[in-house]
Amino acid sequence: MQDDLFYMDRALALAGLGKGLTSPNPMVGAVVVKDAMVVGEGFHRYAEKKHAEVWAIEQAGERARDATLYVNLEPCSHFGRTGPCCDVIIKAGISRVVSAMKDLNPQVAGSGFERLKQAGINLAIGLREMEARKLNEAYLKYILTHLPFVTLKAGMTLDGKIAARDGRSKWITSEASRKRVQQLRFENDALLVGIGTVLQDDPLLTDRSGQVRRRPLMRVILDAGLRLPLETKLVRSLREGAIIVFCSEARDAGRQRQLEEAGIEVIPVGAPDHHIPLTTVLLELGRRDVTGLLIEGGAQVNFSALSSLAVDKIIFFLAPRILGGREAVPAVGGAGFPDLDHSLSLNIAAVEQIGADVMIEAYVTTERRL
């Protein structure tokens, strides 16, 4: 059992090397072990097509016969961009497969395990399942709902303020926290903000983690009235990644044309009271194979996202500062929830000190999430 844990942890670590490289596919790592020795390893990279199991078995060669394969996700049994991994495993003579979890993809969903079982391969399923689910939480939501997994991030003072009363927020949190935010951007396919954030801060909204990613970070702006200035850093950084603006159907057609001529995609949607419905945004992003969306909004966007139950996870960075005052900007604004009985419940998953700050990671617990 200890050996199994050791090798499964290695498979999970290998899978993690695929961050930024696999979406909309899952992150998968595989380890082939024979006579207590690792004889083959691999992890999935979307652009290189081969799945983790194939990389590991090819590296093992003839040593794969009668070996054990450790993999964090059920091997596929269908034809997609590649042939079924199950066929490769069976042909290689693997005698035992240890998998962390079933693939919830309806095209797989246990059929891979059944295929291996019919071939006489010994199966062990469920080792490190919790860790495997967390690693691929965005993929697992997307494959079942065709909607992105939504993370809401905010940096704030200890009393919950994201900006002073003059609107300035640079820099509330530490450099270490800002570096972690770049990692969050790297791990997501798209980044969403409201037009207020753009007008106040003139941000680039780019992934500055320095890590290689398969596709550029998509920038998404909620801008009902098409107020996005053409001279912003954001517009001038189109080579860094696509920009999509969601606006009201009651938009200025001439202004829309100007933005489109600058290279920005504009999507008009029904926007009652000039509030863009996030359900519509998520459906559209899902159609574009966005599996992970990071929201870095202001107070109003944050409340809109939370109250519409679009958020799956929050990550708050708390700096050891106190701003106080009614006019300082809170992390979550809007009308607020009516009372404690109707407030949003969270399940805290992790608390970590980052530099001088504290990071809190929590999941929305309601079953009504999108």
Side-chain angles (χ1 to χ4, degrees), residues 42 62 117-118 155 162 196 234 283 354 363:
E62 288 300 319
K117 184 178 178 181
Q118 290 175 357
I162 59 173
L234 179 64
L283 284 167
I354 300 179
Y363 290 84

Side-chain angles (χ1 to χ4, degrees), residues 15-37:
L17 296 178
K19 287 179 180 178
L21 301 175
T22 66
S23 179
N25 284 4
M27 290 175 277
V28 183
V31 180
V32 178
V33 177
K34 187 170 185 178
D35 298 328
M37 290 184 58

Side-chain angles (χ1 to χ4, degrees), residues 327-364:
E327 295 180 7
V329 184
V332 182
F337 295 99
D339 52 50
L340 284 173
D341 289 337
H342 295 88
S343 60
L344 199 65
S345 296
L346 303 171
N347 178 24
I348 294 179
V351 178
E352 179 183 349
Q353 183 157 1
I354 300 179
D357 305 333
V358 172
M359 184 189 80
I360 298 176
E361 179 183 17
Y363 290 84
V364 178

Side-chain angles (χ1 to χ4, degrees), residues 65-96:
R65 186 159 301 281
D66 295 322
T68 297
L69 171 70
Y70 295 85
V71 63
N72 61 295
L73 191 67
E74 176 184 3
C76 66
S77 57
H78 65 289
F79 284 89
R81 297 173 70 236
T82 67
C85 288
C86 285
D87 289 354
V88 176
I89 294 169
I90 294 167
K91 184 178 179 180
I94 295 286
S95 62
R96 180 172 180 250

